[in-house]
Amino acid sequence: MIRIENLSKSYGKLPVLKNIDLDIAAGETVAVVGPSGTGKSTLLRCLNLLETPTEGRVTIDGLSVDACHLTQKEIYAFRRKSTMIFQDFCLFNNKTVQQNITLAMQVVQKINKEQAEGEAEEILQQIGLLEKRNNYPGTLSGGQQQRVAIGRAMVLKSKVMLFDEPTSALDPCLVGEVLSVIKSITQKHNTTIVIVTHEMQFARDVADRIVYMDEGRIVETASPEVFFTNPAEQRTREFLQYYMN
Amino acid sequence: MRFSLEYAVSRLPLILKYAGMSMNIAVVSMFFTVIFSLVITIVRYYKIKGFHQIVNVYIDIFRGTPLLVQLFFIYFGLPQISPAFVSMTGYQAAIIGMTLNAAAYMTEDMRGALESVPKGQIEAGLSVGMTNLQVMRHIIVPQATRVALPVLGNEFISLVKNSSMAFTIGVRDIMAEATLLGNSSAKFFECYLDAFIIYFVISKIITIFQKYLEKKLNLIGGGLYDSH
Ligand SMILES: Nc1ncnc2c1ncn2[C@@H]1O[C@H](COP(=O)(O)OP(=O)(O)O)[C@@H](O)[C@H]1O
Ligand SMILES: [Mg+2]
């Protein structure tokens, strides 16, 4: 479903991603872990083309883009192959919960209002926020906002969902409700998921594979079982020792 | 000479009749100012090549010189170099001058409002597949408008007050009438006091209306930006 080939990204002279290669199968859930500042967010943002890679090639669902020649049209088309969930939710502040969910359906997918609202209602039920449909984001808790952000992405039914530390900005007591919504998506097996997270237990529970990144490179890729019990690389072991305490 | 309350009161309705012209200039200038500011703000926001630099020079010039000089330049100066301007009336010159002057300030406010919209809002819009234009229309502009609205209200009050300069290029407004009556009766104190009162009351009414509008928007937004 996703193929990343020789992907590099620099900000000016600062290299952030260095020759990343990664294949992700349809329906797979991949957790990306690693110290902060190693380029995990940048990797996701390159997959959604919120950042333009400096070099390399990315393919999602049969659509390929090359960093060297990207047209605006390609960017729009490619971006619609995936949806992104941000660390700080980024709900549209001028829209109600329901409008947050229906906006892209109406504007991008050209679905009519009644149908969009019907689909939004289903999603709102799934994320348990039906009674908040007419609230504005500012009146919701962080956990609720993130659930809406996930709903906003889910409703577009893209084959790929990208989560960038979806629970890092939340109070510890609100993490659970968000993780359980994400978990319910991973269990349906028709969505390919890449999730950057520091929730190691969660990664172990839901991921089919763990990718460990450090300093802009993929250091190790392994099944959760192997990753957490018997990682191949010394650096991975040090990281785990640090994070599991 | 002594103050005559009676005279001041009796002239008030006469001068007030010309408030229509002052408001006309302010409203029409405001209309063109908003449109013109929007255009140049977008040119600057997207850094459209060529235009971008021209716009910056224009803003520099109109912010760096007095409105009175601009009005005189347009009304008395331009017709001397181009016959196209000979038939320009004082009213038209006032609208042009006030629009160019106010837009040079308003574009800064609009830019500030656009830039006040967090980057995450834009990225969230893009990430669900919207185009830059769609993000502009559905996310950035509505949020920026809320930020800009109080400032636009203040700009409008400035236009009302600055419209008093139009009388220097022959427009018959509050200020012109007050001066005329003052000249004929030599009771300048009373006539300009009337002008004072009229301008002040108009400003106050606009302020009250502006507050009301803001409050109403806040209600619609349900404390929209509480978290920001
Ligand atoms: N827009 C940017 N401009 C310059 N440097 C950036 C930018 N975004 C990220 N970086 C740098 O790239 C590196 C990787 O950042 P990021 O992908 O956010 O890491 P992670 O998500 O793993 O914490 C960091 O050193 C960060 O400072
Ligand atoms: Mg990050």
Side-chain angles (χ1 to χ4, degrees), chain A residues 163-193:
Chain A
F163 292 82
D164 189 6
E165 298 196 35
T167 59
S168 294
L170 298 176
D171 287 340
C173 61
L174 300 175
V175 168
E177 62 185 68
V178 171
L179 291 184
S180 79
V181 171
I182 300 173
K183 192 165 179 178
S184 73
I185 304 172
T186 65
Q187 281 163 348
K188 282 188 218 136
H189 292 299
N190 50 6
T191 311
T192 308
I193 290 174

Side-chain angles (χ1 to χ4, degrees), chain B residues 132-154:
Chain B
N132 287 322
L133 212 64
Q134 289 168 336
V135 172
M136 181 55 91
R137 169 157 168 233
H138 296 282
I139 311 298
I140 304 178
V141 169
Q143 295 190 26
T145 304
R146 268 197 39 129
V147 176
L149 213 61
V151 191
L152 293 196
N154 296 341

Side-chain angles (χ1 to χ4, degrees), chain A residues 9-12 14-17 32-45 51 87 164-165 196 198 213 216, chain B residues 119:
Chain A
K9 170 73 186 174
S10 307
Y11 290 109
L14 177 77
V16 173
L17 293 177
V32 179
V33 302
S36 48
T38 52
K40 304 181 299 296
S41 297
T42 308
L43 176 63
L44 285 201
R45 293 166 61 80
E51 300 292 346
Q87 187 171 342
D164 189 6
E165 298 196 35
V196 174
H198 290 296
M213 276 182 73
Chain B
K119 199 164 154 251

